[in-house]
Amino acid sequence: MLINRHLIDPMDFKVEELDEIFSLAEKIIKNPKKYSKICDGKILATLFYEPSTRTRFSFESAMMRLGGNVLGFSEPNSSSASKGETLADTIKMVSIYSDVIAMRHPKEGAARVASLYSKVPVINAGDGGHQHPTQTLTDLLTIKNLKGNLKNKTIGLCGDLKFGRTVHSLIKAMSRYEGNEFILISPKELKVPDYIKEQVLEKNNIKFREVEALEDVIEELDILYMTRIQKERFFNEEEYLRLKDSYILNMEKMDKAKNDMIVMHPLPRVNEIDMEVDNDSRASYFKQAEFGMYVRMALICKLLGVEEC
Ligand code: CP
């Protein structure tokens, strides 16, 4: 049962529970009208201490499309956080005013802390460079729909694998499905953190290798997951400027890839995917963002226990 649960880490839900969410998302995609009033009288709070376009708007759109209401902030200076209110006190208040909370915060672990003080489900909408579990739901639903299933895939993760929380969450999630292997493509300064390699990949005997050149491996991939270099997480601007153009996916590189490879990206992109790639049928990142709204609709229904009309 997913009712009243928190979603802080992609591993919080079992594979069977994720299947329930995907199955409901697919039902909603087929017949959105059936679900258009299901959250009547319910309130989603979106507490965004960091900028967002997709995650916040897709959560808000999801709740509105389910017939519910939304309150919250996208700029922490407009809340009492700017007067020094603690996260614990903010969450105690907001969990009185709402039925479910989606929160993005720059500090790793902030969503876990929020869940300790909340009377209602807390959804981690990104905590620093740590995890982004609803992006993972989005990514899995996209792969399931565009590649048929979540098994036996060669997944290339490319770009900022150190600070990119979506990558950390996706490695954890895809490691639970049989036969998946990873090619980790990054500059040496931006490699996947050791704790993920040791505690997820090595511990579970998942095949992976680390390389620096995308063009050396692109032909092997079923999925290419591009990421932006995360400027906001660098301590040193010089280092960011040196690394920011490490990878630019263009049609010359796409010509070497399989005809059925899909290109994913959590977005926003800066320059790591040339706009000419958008016209290629393998470019799946805008479709991915659309799946994100439907999977969040399904997640809200499950956490509130309002699945059936
Ligand atoms: N993918 C993602 O988290 O996008 P936003 O930062 O725009 O929410």
Side-chain angles (χ1 to χ4, degrees), residues 198-233:
E198 289 161 14
Q199 292 169 25
V200 181
L201 297 172
E202 288 164 7
K203 188 173 166 196
N204 295 299
N205 293 319
I206 311 286
K207 220 170 141 188
F208 76 96
R209 66 186 206 267
E210 294 180 290
V211 301
E212 285 192 38
L214 172 59
E215 44 276 47
D216 288 352
V217 295
I218 194 167
E219 65 190 22
E220 298 177 46
L221 306 177
D222 300 308
I223 298 161
L224 171 58
Y225 194 95
M226 295 295 295
T227 62
R228 145 185 96 85
I229 308 293
Q230 306 263 310
K231 182 180 181 186
E232 66 276 29
R233 315 243 180 258

Side-chain angles (χ1 to χ4, degrees), residues 90 160 246 294:
T90 301
D160 183 348
S246 297
Y294 290 114

Side-chain angles (χ1 to χ4, degrees), residues 167-198:
V167 164
H168 306 163
S169 292
L170 188 59
I171 291 174
K172 278 184 158 185
M174 286 301 277
S175 292
R176 295 203 286 190
Y177 298 91
E178 72 179 69
N180 288 327
E181 56 183 78
F182 297 92
I183 303 182
L184 308 174
I185 310 154
S186 75
K188 57 183 181 317
E189 296 86 347
L190 297 176
K191 284 160 86 166
V192 168
D194 286 344
Y195 82 93
I196 293 182
K197 282 184 274 189
E198 289 161 14

